[in-house]
Amino acid sequence: MPTRPPSSDPRIRAYTEATHAMAQRHFDVDVPVDPESEDEVSQLGRALRALASSMERSFREMQELTRVTERVNAGLLLDEVLDGIYEAFKGLIPYQRIGLSLIDDSGERVVARWARSETGDLRLKQGYSAPLSGSSLEQIMETGQPRILNDLEAYLREKPGSKATRLVVAEGIRSSLTCPLVAMGRPVGFIFFSSGEPGAYRDVHVGVFTRLAGQLSVIVEKSRLYQRLVELDGLKDRFLGMAAHDLRSPLNSILGFLLLLEREYYGPVSESQREVLDKIRKGSLSMLTLVEDILDARQIESGHLRLDPQTMRVSQVVTEEVEAIHPLLAAKNMAMRVDIPESDPEVRADPVRVGQVLANLLSNAVKYSSPGGAIRLTVEDHLRELAVHVRDEGAGIPQDEVATLFTEFGRTSVTPTAGEGSTGLGLAIVRRIVEAHGGRVAVESQVGQGSTFSFFLPREGDANQEQPDSAAVARNGAPVSPSPSPVVPGSRAGSSPVPP
């Protein structure tokens, strides 16, 4: 039978179209092949059909492996990642049990960290450890290749001293696939896929794991380090809490005895002695403030901040905090003006915590203002929220440092004008308290012109509505206050000025 030149063979056109389709990841293509023909074009067609089938399998497998990686990587804590592995590998590798063991910091022991089983009967539990040196696991790590044991009962007869094998056999496990984890060139540990069926594992399962091994190792190590960081952070919080509690009682005792000394309960006090006592009192009060701030920050961080919301008039809290700040104002010969709408607005909030917010903002305004300056506190009654602004005439905050405000221990290059102490926690506490009310905080600052710190509380009925995240945002626009007015000592809308 005469053959047509390849250029005129219609099969060539069909094969060309099929090739273009596969290049676009369309593998279900029509590749016509004459089963009775053995010419070169027919052989090309059969090869092309086999290639399409192979590429489709590889593409589906790549999609599945990508899905597995994304699902596993979605976790942050190690336990979350391992639960993700347990669910994600179903359909790729057979198992009824997965275990993870990590190499300890010394590099000498392998410690069981996590296990999950369909039966729930775990005999080899978290905390079990064994030496790495001289073990079969050391050989696996050295070769970097997974190991298949398809008959664990036979393996146990050969190595009766293997306690780990005896424990998993007692769980009903009969075959295992042990896979090494190496992250950034450093041995991390091992993942054990285990099945209750003998002969469950094949080289194809090794291939699946091998294609994911690098990414999986890095994900596991990242999660392990993150979980360690979380645990250390919790330990730090507990230590700070204990230290703060232990310091508060003796500080209160010191302040109590200082008060008795200043009142000459133990005898006359000379002027020079009184100056020393005053320095001790200021230092003790500064330390007590730090202790209280640490306790507040720890309580807020642990999610145990308790609010006692009630309908309150802002003027009452403002009056109390302004009176409390008067000694600080007088010490720096500063003036203050308070502007509250005639309507004297109400808001549903915890008056003690709102007072704490105001006290922090007002004391900060005094600290960072020069002697003889002025502070203005303005309350604005908006439709859906109540706004409180505290404006000072300090040095202002550089724009590139504003992001550190309202963060724990956040500090800027601006320092208190009279050497007052600062814990770096006050504004972070302000933000957390306001956010706990469903509100937000903000700051406007310009170098040389002072700063305005503001907080916004939702009006009654709006407290449960979603609020935007608080952000310390500096803008070079108009001041927060509705209109500038002369700063006079201690005035309030509708009242006459009162000196500090």
Side-chain angles (χ1 to χ4, degrees), residues 186-265:
R186 189 178 73 85
V188 173
F190 304 87
I191 282 187
F192 305 89
F193 296 90
S194 305
S195 172
E197 299 294 327
Y201 298 104
R202 299 287 182 271
D203 288 343
V204 64
H205 303 130
V206 172
V208 168
F209 179 83
T210 301
R211 283 191 287 277
L212 280 174
Q215 297 177 65
L216 199 59
S217 299
V218 171
I219 292 170
V220 168
E221 179 67 354
K222 173 206 72 174
S223 302
R224 184 186 72 84
L225 293 174
Y226 180 80
Q227 185 150 327
R228 181 75 180 275
L229 182 62
V230 170
E231 292 168 355
L232 289 174
D233 190 57
L235 183 63
K236 178 259 304 178
D237 285 343
R238 289 193 296 275
F239 170 76
L240 286 176
M242 291 168 59
H245 276 292
D246 290 344
L247 286 170
R248 183 162 55 177
S249 294
L251 281 170
N252 281 324
S253 296
I254 291 171
L255 289 168
F257 281 111
L258 278 172
L259 181 61
L260 293 175
L261 288 170
E262 289 172 335
R263 292 181 177 180
E264 300 186 340
Y265 181 82

Coordinates of all heavy atoms in Angstrom, one line a residue, residues 186-265:
R186 N 19.9 21.0 57.6 CA 20.1 20.5 59.0 C 19.0 19.4 59.2 O 17.9 19.6 59.0 CB 19.9 21.7 59.9 CG 20.2 21.3 61.4 CD 20.0 22.6 62.3 NE 18.6 22.9 62.5 CZ 17.9 22.3 63.4 NH1 18.4 21.4 64.2 NH2 16.6 22.7 63.5
P187 N 19.5 18.3 59.8 CA 18.5 17.2 60.1 C 17.5 17.7 61.2 O 17.9 18.3 62.2 CB 19.4 16.1 60.7 CG 20.7 16.4 60.1 CD 20.9 17.8 60.0
V188 N 16.2 17.5 60.9 CA 15.2 18.0 61.8 C 14.5 16.9 62.6 O 14.3 16.9 63.8 CB 14.1 18.8 61.0 CG1 13.0 19.2 61.9 CG2 14.7 20.0 60.4
G189 N 14.2 15.8 61.8 CA 13.5 14.7 62.5 C 13.0 13.7 61.5 O 13.5 13.6 60.3
F190 N 11.9 13.0 61.8 CA 11.4 11.9 61.0 C 9.8 12.0 61.0 O 9.2 12.2 62.1 CB 11.8 10.6 61.4 CG 13.3 10.4 61.5 CD1 14.0 10.8 62.7 CD2 14.1 9.9 60.4 CE1 15.4 10.7 62.7 CE2 15.4 9.8 60.5 CZ 16.1 10.2 61.7
I191 N 9.2 11.7 59.9 CA 7.8 11.4 59.8 C 7.6 9.9 59.5 O 8.2 9.4 58.6 CB 7.1 12.3 58.8 CG1 6.9 13.7 59.3 CG2 5.7 11.7 58.4 CD1 6.1 14.6 58.4
F192 N 6.7 9.3 60.3 CA 6.4 7.9 60.1 C 5.0 7.7 59.7 O 4.0 8.0 60.4 CB 6.6 7.2 61.5 CG 7.9 7.4 62.1 CD1 8.1 8.4 63.0 CD2 9.0 6.5 61.9 CE1 9.4 8.6 63.6 CE2 10.2 6.7 62.5 CZ 10.4 7.8 63.3
F193 N 4.8 7.2 58.4 CA 3.5 6.8 57.9 C 3.4 5.3 58.2 O 4.3 4.5 57.9 CB 3.4 7.0 56.4 CG 3.5 8.4 56.0 CD1 4.7 9.0 55.7 CD2 2.3 9.2 55.9 CE1 4.8 10.4 55.3 CE2 2.4 10.6 55.5 CZ 3.6 11.1 55.2
S194 N 2.3 4.9 58.9 CA 2.1 3.5 59.3 C 0.7 3.0 58.9 O -0.3 3.7 59.0 CB 2.3 3.4 60.8 OG 3.5 4.0 61.2
S195 N 0.7 1.7 58.6 CA -0.5 1.1 58.2 C -0.7 -0.2 58.9 O 0.2 -0.9 59.3 CB -0.5 0.8 56.7 OG -1.6 0.0 56.3
G196 N -2.0 -0.6 59.1 CA -2.3 -1.8 59.8 C -2.3 -3.0 58.8 O -2.4 -4.2 59.3
E197 N -2.0 -2.7 57.5 CA -2.0 -3.8 56.5 C -0.5 -4.1 56.2 O 0.3 -3.2 55.9 CB -2.7 -3.4 55.3 CG -4.2 -3.1 55.5 CD -4.9 -4.4 55.8 OE1 -4.5 -5.5 55.3 OE2 -5.9 -4.3 56.6
P198 N -0.1 -5.4 56.2 CA 1.2 -5.7 55.7 C 1.4 -5.4 54.2 O 0.4 -5.4 53.5 CB 1.3 -7.2 55.9 CG 0.2 -7.5 56.9 CD -0.9 -6.6 56.6
G199 N 2.6 -5.0 53.8 CA 2.9 -4.7 52.4 C 2.2 -3.5 51.9 O 1.9 -3.5 50.7
A200 N 1.9 -2.5 52.7 CA 1.2 -1.4 52.3 C 1.9 -0.4 51.4 O 1.4 0.4 50.6 CB 0.6 -0.6 53.5
Y201 N 3.3 -0.4 51.4 CA 4.1 0.6 50.8 C 4.9 0.2 49.6 O 5.4 -1.0 49.6 CB 5.0 1.3 51.9 CG 4.1 1.9 53.0 CD1 4.0 1.3 54.2 CD2 3.4 3.1 52.7 CE1 3.2 1.9 55.2 CE2 2.6 3.7 53.7 CZ 2.5 3.1 55.0 OH 1.8 3.6 55.9
R202 N 5.0 1.1 48.6 CA 5.7 0.8 47.4 C 6.6 2.0 47.1 O 6.5 3.0 47.7 CB 4.7 0.6 46.2 CG 3.8 -0.6 46.4 CD 4.5 -1.9 46.2 NE 3.7 -3.1 46.4 CZ 3.4 -3.7 47.5 NH1 3.9 -3.3 48.6 NH2 2.6 -4.8 47.5
D203 N 7.5 1.8 46.1 CA 8.4 2.9 45.7 C 7.6 4.1 45.3 O 8.1 5.3 45.4 CB 9.3 2.4 44.6 CG 10.3 1.4 45.1 OD1 10.6 1.3 46.3 OD2 10.9 0.7 44.2
V204 N 6.4 4.0 44.7 CA 5.7 5.1 44.3 C 5.3 6.0 45.5 O 5.3 7.3 45.3 CB 4.4 4.7 43.6 CG1 3.4 3.9 44.5 CG2 3.7 5.9 43.0
H205 N 5.1 5.5 46.7 CA 4.8 6.3 47.8 C 6.1 7.0 48.3 O 6.0 8.2 48.8 CB 4.3 5.4 49.0 CG 3.1 4.6 48.6 ND1 3.0 3.3 48.8 CD2 1.9 5.0 48.0 CE1 1.8 2.9 48.3 NE2 1.1 3.9 47.8
V206 N 7.2 6.4 48.1 CA 8.5 7.1 48.4 C 8.7 8.3 47.5 O 9.1 9.4 47.9 CB 9.7 6.1 48.3 CG1 11.0 6.9 48.4 CG2 9.6 5.0 49.3
G207 N 8.3 8.1 46.2 CA 8.4 9.2 45.2 C 7.5 10.3 45.6 O 7.9 11.5 45.4
V208 N 6.3 10.0 46.0 CA 5.4 11.1 46.4 C 6.0 11.9 47.5 O 6.0 13.2 47.5 CB 4.0 10.5 46.9 CG1 3.2 11.6 47.5 CG2 3.3 10.0 45.7
F209 N 6.5 11.3 48.6 CA 7.1 12.0 49.7 C 8.3 12.8 49.3 O 8.5 13.9 49.7 CB 7.4 11.1 50.9 CG 8.0 11.8 52.0 CD1 7.2 12.5 52.9 CD2 9.4 11.9 52.2 CE1 7.8 13.2 54.0 CE2 10.0 12.6 53.2 CZ 9.2 13.2 54.1
T210 N 9.1 12.1 48.5 CA 10.4 12.8 48.1 C 10.2 14.1 47.3 O 10.9 15.1 47.5 CB 11.2 11.8 47.2 OG1 11.5 10.6 47.9 CG2 12.5 12.4 46.8
R211 N 9.1 14.1 46.5 CA 8.8 15.4 45.8 C 8.3 16.5 46.7 O 8.4 17.7 46.4 CB 7.7 15.1 44.7 CG 8.3 14.4 43.5 CD 7.3 14.4 42.4 NE 6.2 13.4 42.6 CZ 6.3 12.1 42.3 NH1 7.5 11.6 41.9 NH2 5.3 11.3 42.5
L212 N 7.9 16.1 47.9 CA 7.4 17.1 48.9 C 8.4 17.3 50.1 O 8.1 18.2 50.9 CB 6.0 16.7 49.5 CG 4.8 17.0 48.6 CD1 3.6 16.3 49.3 CD2 4.6 18.5 48.4
A213 N 9.4 16.5 50.1 CA 10.2 16.4 51.3 C 10.8 17.8 51.7 O 10.8 18.2 52.9 CB 11.3 15.4 51.2
G214 N 11.4 18.5 50.8 CA 12.0 19.8 51.1 C 11.1 20.8 51.6 O 11.3 21.4 52.7
Q215 N 9.9 21.0 51.0 CA 9.0 22.0 51.4 C 8.4 21.5 52.8 O 8.2 22.4 53.7 CB 7.9 22.1 50.4 CG 8.3 22.7 49.1 CD 7.2 22.7 48.1 OE1 6.2 23.4 48.3 NE2 7.2 21.9 47.0
L216 N 8.1 20.3 52.9 CA 7.5 19.8 54.1 C 8.4 19.9 55.3 O 8.0 20.3 56.4 CB 7.1 18.3 54.0 CG 6.1 17.7 55.0 CD1 4.8 18.5 54.9 CD2 5.9 16.2 54.7
S217 N 9.7 19.7 55.1 CA 10.7 19.8 56.2 C 10.8 21.3 56.7 O 10.8 21.6 57.9 CB 12.1 19.4 55.7 OG 12.0 18.0 55.4
V218 N 10.8 22.2 55.7 CA 10.9 23.6 56.1 C 9.6 24.1 56.8 O 9.7 24.8 57.8 CB 11.1 24.5 54.8 CG1 11.0 26.0 55.2 CG2 12.5 24.2 54.2
I219 N 8.4 23.6 56.4 CA 7.2 24.0 57.0 C 7.2 23.4 58.5 O 6.8 24.2 59.4 CB 6.0 23.4 56.2 CG1 5.9 24.1 54.9 CG2 4.7 23.6 57.0 CD1 4.9 23.5 53.9
V220 N 7.6 22.2 58.6 CA 7.6 21.6 60.0 C 8.6 22.4 60.9 O 8.2 22.7 62.0 CB 8.0 20.1 59.9 CG1 8.2 19.6 61.3 CG2 6.8 19.3 59.3
E221 N 9.7 22.7 60.4 CA 10.7 23.4 61.2 C 10.3 24.8 61.5 O 10.4 25.3 62.7 CB 12.1 23.4 60.5 CG 13.2 24.2 61.2 CD 13.6 23.5 62.5 OE1 13.0 22.5 62.9 OE2 14.6 24.0 63.1
K222 N 9.7 25.5 60.6 CA 9.1 26.8 60.8 C 8.1 26.8 61.9 O 8.1 27.6 62.8 CB 8.5 27.4 59.5 CG 7.8 28.7 59.7 CD 6.7 28.9 58.6 CE 5.5 27.9 58.9 NZ 4.4 28.2 58.0
S223 N 7.2 25.8 61.8 CA 6.1 25.7 62.8 C 6.7 25.4 64.2 O 6.2 25.8 65.2 CB 5.1 24.7 62.3 OG 4.6 25.0 61.1
R224 N 7.7 24.5 64.2 CA 8.3 24.1 65.5 C 8.9 25.3 66.2 O 8.7 25.6 67.4 CB 9.4 23.0 65.3 CG 10.0 22.5 66.6 CD 11.1 21.6 66.3 NE 12.3 22.3 65.8 CZ 13.2 22.9 66.5 NH1 13.1 22.9 67.9 NH2 14.2 23.5 66.0
L225 N 9.6 26.1 65.4 CA 10.3 27.3 65.9 C 9.3 28.3 66.4 O 9.4 29.0 67.4 CB 11.2 27.9 64.9 CG 12.5 27.1 64.6 CD1 13.2 27.7 63.4 CD2 13.4 26.9 65.8
Y226 N 8.2 28.5 65.6 CA 7.1 29.4 65.9 C 6.4 29.0 67.3 O 6.2 29.8 68.1 CB 6.1 29.5 64.8 CG 5.0 30.5 65.1 CD1 5.2 31.9 65.0 CD2 3.7 30.1 65.6 CE1 4.2 32.8 65.2 CE2 2.7 31.0 65.9 CZ 2.9 32.3 65.7 OH 1.9 33.2 66.0
Q227 N 6.2 27.7 67.4 CA 5.5 27.2 68.6 C 6.5 27.4 69.8 O 6.0 27.8 70.9 CB 5.2 25.8 68.4 CG 4.4 25.2 69.6 CD 3.4 24.1 69.2 OE1 2.9 24.1 68.1 NE2 3.2 23.2 70.1
R228 N 7.8 27.2 69.6 CA 8.7 27.4 70.7 C 8.7 28.9 71.1 O 8.8 29.2 72.3 CB 10.1 27.0 70.2 CG 11.2 27.2 71.3 CD 11.1 26.1 72.3 NE 12.1 26.3 73.3 CZ 13.4 25.8 73.2 NH1 13.7 25.1 72.1 NH2 14.2 26.0 74.2
L229 N 8.6 29.8 70.1 CA 8.6 31.2 70.4 C 7.3 31.6 71.2 O 7.4 32.4 72.1 CB 8.6 32.0 69.1 CG 8.6 33.5 69.2 CD1 9.8 34.0 69.9 CD2 8.5 34.2 67.8
V230 N 6.2 31.0 70.8 CA 4.9 31.2 71.5 C 5.1 30.7 73.0 O 4.6 31.4 73.9 CB 3.7 30.5 70.8 CG1 2.5 30.6 71.7 CG2 3.5 31.2 69.5
E231 N 5.7 29.6 73.1 CA 5.8 29.0 74.5 C 6.8 29.9 75.3 O 6.5 30.2 76.5 CB 6.4 27.6 74.4 CG 5.4 26.6 73.8 CD 6.0 25.3 73.5 OE1 7.3 25.2 73.6 OE2 5.3 24.3 73.1
L232 N 7.9 30.4 74.7 CA 8.8 31.3 75.4 C 8.1 32.6 75.8 O 8.4 33.2 76.8 CB 10.0 31.5 74.6 CG 11.0 30.3 74.5 CD1 12.1 30.7 73.5 CD2 11.6 29.9 75.8
D233 N 7.3 33.1 74.9 CA 6.6 34.3 75.1 C 5.6 34.2 76.3 O 5.5 35.1 77.1 CB 5.8 34.8 73.9 CG 5.2 36.2 74.0 OD1 6.0 37.1 74.2 OD2 4.0 36.3 73.9
G234 N 4.9 33.0 76.4 CA 4.1 32.7 77.5 C 4.8 32.7 78.8 O 4.4 33.2 79.8
L235 N 6.0 32.0 78.7 CA 6.9 31.9 79.9 C 7.3 33.3 80.4 O 7.4 33.6 81.6 CB 8.1 31.1 79.6 CG 9.1 30.8 80.7 CD1 8.4 30.1 81.9 CD2 10.3 30.1 80.2
K236 N 7.7 34.2 79.4 CA 8.1 35.6 79.7 C 6.9 36.3 80.4 O 7.1 37.0 81.4 CB 8.5 36.3 78.4 CG 8.9 37.7 78.6 CD 7.8 38.7 78.2 CE 7.3 38.5 76.8 NZ 6.2 39.5 76.4
D237 N 5.7 36.1 79.9 CA 4.5 36.8 80.5 C 4.3 36.3 81.9 O 4.0 37.1 82.8 CB 3.3 36.6 79.6 CG 3.3 37.4 78.4 OD1 4.1 38.4 78.3 OD2 2.5 37.0 77.4
R238 N 4.4 35.0 82.1 CA 4.2 34.5 83.5 C 5.3 35.0 84.4 O 5.0 35.4 85.6 CB 4.2 33.0 83.5 CG 3.0 32.3 82.8 CD 2.9 30.9 83.1 NE 4.0 30.1 82.5 CZ 4.0 29.7 81.3 NH1 3.0 29.9 80.5 NH2 5.0 28.9 80.8
F239 N 6.5 35.1 83.9 CA 7.6 35.6 84.8 C 7.4 37.1 85.1 O 7.5 37.5 86.3 CB 9.0 35.4 84.1 CG 10.1 36.2 84.8 CD1 10.7 35.6 85.9 CD2 10.6 37.4 84.3 CE1 11.7 36.3 86.5 CE2 11.6 38.0 84.9 CZ 12.2 37.5 86.1
L240 N 7.0 37.9 84.1 CA 6.8 39.3 84.4 C 5.6 39.5 85.4 O 5.6 40.3 86.3 CB 6.5 40.0 83.1 CG 7.6 40.3 82.1 CD1 7.2 40.9 80.9 CD2 8.7 41.2 82.8
G241 N 4.6 38.6 85.2 CA 3.4 38.7 86.1 C 3.8 38.4 87.5 O 3.4 39.1 88.5
M242 N 4.6 37.3 87.7 CA 5.0 37.0 89.0 C 5.9 38.0 89.6 O 5.8 38.4 90.8 CB 5.7 35.6 89.0 CG 4.8 34.4 88.7 SD 5.8 32.9 88.3 CE 6.7 32.7 89.8
A243 N 6.9 38.5 88.8 CA 7.8 39.6 89.3 C 7.0 40.8 89.7 O 7.3 41.4 90.7 CB 8.8 39.9 88.3
A244 N 6.1 41.2 88.9 CA 5.3 42.4 89.1 C 4.5 42.3 90.4 O 4.4 43.2 91.3 CB 4.4 42.8 88.0
H245 N 3.8 41.1 90.6 CA 3.1 40.9 91.8 C 4.0 40.9 93.0 O 3.6 41.5 94.1 CB 2.4 39.5 91.7 CG 1.0 39.6 91.0 ND1 0.0 40.3 91.5 CD2 0.7 39.1 89.8 CE1 -1.1 40.1 90.7 NE2 -0.7 39.4 89.6
D246 N 5.2 40.3 92.9 CA 6.1 40.3 94.1 C 6.7 41.6 94.4 O 7.0 41.9 95.5 CB 7.2 39.3 93.8 CG 6.7 37.8 93.8 OD1 5.6 37.6 94.3 OD2 7.5 37.0 93.3
L247 N 6.7 42.5 93.4 CA 7.3 43.9 93.6 C 6.2 44.8 94.2 O 6.6 45.8 94.9 CB 7.9 44.4 92.3 CG 9.2 43.8 91.8 CD1 9.5 44.3 90.4 CD2 10.3 44.2 92.8
R248 N 5.0 44.6 93.8 CA 4.0 45.6 94.2 C 3.8 45.7 95.7 O 3.7 46.9 96.2 CB 2.6 45.2 93.6 CG 1.5 46.3 93.8 CD 0.4 46.1 92.9 NE -0.2 44.8 92.9 CZ -1.3 44.5 92.2 NH1 -1.8 45.4 91.4 NH2 -1.8 43.2 92.2
S249 N 3.8 44.6 96.4 CA 3.6 44.7 97.9 C 4.7 45.5 98.6 O 4.5 46.4 99.4 CB 3.5 43.3 98.5 OG 2.3 42.7 98.0
P250 N 6.0 45.1 98.3 CA 7.1 45.9 99.0 C 7.1 47.4 98.6 O 7.4 48.2 99.4 CB 8.4 45.2 98.6 CG 8.0 44.3 97.4 CD 6.6 44.0 97.6
L251 N 6.7 47.7 97.4 CA 6.7 49.1 96.9 C 5.6 49.8 97.7 O 5.8 51.0 98.1 CB 6.4 49.2 95.4 CG 7.6 49.0 94.5 CD1 7.2 48.8 93.1 CD2 8.7 50.1 94.7
N252 N 4.5 49.2 97.9 CA 3.4 49.9 98.7 C 3.8 50.0 100.1 O 3.5 51.0 100.8 CB 2.1 49.0 98.6 CG 1.4 49.2 97.3 OD1 1.3 50.3 96.8 ND2 0.8 48.2 96.8
S253 N 4.6 49.1 100.6 CA 5.1 49.2 102.0 C 6.1 50.4 102.1 O 6.0 51.2 103.1 CB 5.8 47.9 102.5 OG 4.9 46.9 102.5
I254 N 6.9 50.5 101.1 CA 7.9 51.6 101.1 C 7.2 53.0 101.1 O 7.5 53.9 101.8 CB 8.8 51.5 99.9 CG1 9.8 50.3 100.1 CG2 9.6 52.8 99.7 CD1 10.6 50.0 98.8
L255 N 6.1 53.1 100.2 CA 5.4 54.3 100.1 C 4.6 54.6 101.4 O 4.5 55.8 101.8 CB 4.4 54.2 98.9 CG 5.1 54.3 97.6 CD1 4.1 53.9 96.5 CD2 5.6 55.7 97.3
G256 N 4.2 53.5 102.1 CA 3.5 53.7 103.3 C 4.4 54.3 104.4 O 4.1 55.2 105.1
F257 N 5.6 53.7 104.5 CA 6.6 54.2 105.5 C 7.1 55.6 105.2 O 7.3 56.4 106.1 CB 7.7 53.2 105.6 CG 7.4 52.0 106.5 CD1 7.3 50.7 105.9 CD2 7.2 52.1 107.8 CE1 7.0 49.6 106.7 CE2 6.9 51.0 108.6 CZ 6.8 49.7 108.0
L258 N 7.2 55.9 103.9 CA 7.6 57.2 103.5 C 6.6 58.3 103.9 O 7.0 59.4 104.4 CB 7.7 57.3 101.9 CG 9.1 56.8 101.3 CD1 9.0 56.7 99.8 CD2 10.2 57.7 101.8
L259 N 5.3 57.9 103.8 CA 4.3 58.8 104.2 C 4.4 59.1 105.7 O 4.3 60.2 106.2 CB 2.9 58.2 103.9 CG 1.7 59.1 104.2 CD1 1.7 60.4 103.5 CD2 0.4 58.4 103.9
L260 N 4.6 58.0 106.5 CA 4.8 58.2 108.0 C 6.0 59.1 108.3 O 6.0 59.9 109.2 CB 4.9 56.8 108.6 CG 3.7 55.9 108.6 CD1 4.0 54.6 109.2 CD2 2.5 56.6 109.3
L261 N 7.1 58.9 107.5 CA 8.3 59.7 107.8 C 8.0 61.2 107.4 O 8.4 62.1 108.2 CB 9.5 59.2 106.9 CG 10.1 57.8 107.4 CD1 11.1 57.3 106.3 CD2 10.8 58.0 108.7
E262 N 7.4 61.4 106.3 CA 7.1 62.8 105.8 C 6.1 63.5 106.8 O 6.2 64.7 107.0 CB 6.5 62.8 104.4 CG 7.5 62.4 103.4 CD 6.8 62.2 102.0 OE1 5.6 61.9 101.9 OE2 7.5 62.4 101.0
R263 N 5.3 62.7 107.5 CA 4.4 63.3 108.5 C 5.0 63.3 109.9 O 4.4 63.7 110.9 CB 3.1 62.5 108.5 CG 2.2 62.7 107.2 CD 0.9 61.9 107.3 NE 0.1 62.1 106.1 CZ -1.1 61.5 105.9 NH1 -1.6 60.7 106.9 NH2 -1.7 61.8 104.8
E264 N 6.3 63.0 109.9 CA 7.1 63.1 111.1 C 6.6 62.2 112.3 O 6.7 62.5 113.4 CB 7.2 64.6 111.6 CG 7.9 65.5 110.6 CD 8.1 66.9 111.1 OE1 7.5 67.3 112.1 OE2 9.0 67.6 110.5
Y265 N 6.0 61.1 111.8 CA 5.5 60.1 112.8 C 6.6 59.5 113.7 O 6.4 59.2 114.9 CB 4.8 59.0 112.1 CG 4.2 57.9 113.0 CD1 2.9 58.1 113.6 CD2 4.9 56.7 113.2 CE1 2.4 57.1 114.4 CE2 4.3 55.7 114.1 CZ 3.1 56.0 114.7 OH 2.5 55.0 115.5

